[in-house]
Amino acid sequence: MKGYRGIYNKFIKRILDVIISSCFLCILSPFYVLVSLAIFIEDGFPIFYKAERGGYKGKKFKICKFRSMVKNADKIGGGTTAFRDSRITKVGNFIRKTKLDEIPQFWQVFIGKMSIIGPRPELLKYVNMYRDDEMDILQVRPGITDFSSVEFINLDELVGDQNADEVYEKKVLKRKNELRLKYAREVSFETDCIILMKTFYAVINKAYAFIVKKEHR
């Protein structure tokens, strides 16, 4: 059975998450050290950015990323990152474009707060707006990537450099929720493999455009 009620979502997916995340934690360990040092040298502590998000079964949790913005960025601007947002540091710009800012989440996968593949966790103010079928989104562990991560990999460019929160709410949020719900209803091993392959392709293209073509620097 596909979907969040199936045995894959309830049991098998979690086993795979533990195995895969433990491998990634070992492979990516040098990057943890290098990125941490780069952030500290440029802007000091804290190294990580933590913020509350809506989690599995409606329980909130603190998502963890490498900090890519100046300290207290949440108090300076909105929750949506604008295109060429002035709050982003030089190191932060690099790790965001290469998606290295997301790799601390593999630890959260390992301990069961997140999944490799699953609906991207949303700000609490938007989760509290879920109605009817949208509540099904919370029946799957939030993930590092999903359908919406691939479709909106260049989200900052889409929302532009003015009124990013407003643009996000009007033009992106509804579609993101549709894609989150689509995942919750279609979750399966096959679906996860497809999303994982699409994610690798999208991330590689984004990093290549930034590093080699020097786009959007």
Side-chain angles (χ1 to χ4, degrees), residues 7 14-15 24 31 56-58 69 91-92 96 100 104 118 125 147 151 153 169 177 180 189-191 201-202 204 209:
I7 189 171
R14 178 66 192 133
I15 295 172
F24 270 106
F31 291 97
Y56 186 47
K57 300 290 186 181
M69 291 187 173
V91 171
R96 290 176 75 94
L100 288 171
K125 69 175 182 177
F147 291 119
E151 183 166 323
I153 193 164
E169 291 171 8
N177 285 343
R180 289 181 179 115
F189 180 72
E190 179 185 2
T191 299
Y201 179 77
I204 290 171

Side-chain angles (χ1 to χ4, degrees), residues 106-121:
F106 283 107
W107 172 251
Q108 294 187 290
V109 172
F110 185 76
I111 63 175
K113 296 292 184 181
M114 295 180 68
S115 179
I116 301 289
I117 314 292
R120 279 300 292 168

Side-chain angles (χ1 to χ4, degrees), residues 39 72 195 199:
I39 293 171
N72 300 315
I195 292 174
T199 298

Side-chain angles (χ1 to χ4, degrees), residues 1 16 18 98 108 113 120 153 159 164 178 182-183 197 200 204 206 209 214:
M1 179 189 293
L16 292 175
V18 171
T98 56
Q108 294 187 290
K113 296 292 184 181
R120 279 300 292 168
I153 193 164
V159 299
E178 289 173 351
K182 171 182 171 67
Y183 179 79
M197 287 188 290
F200 278 130
I204 290 171
K206 185 179 178 72
K214 300 182 180 180

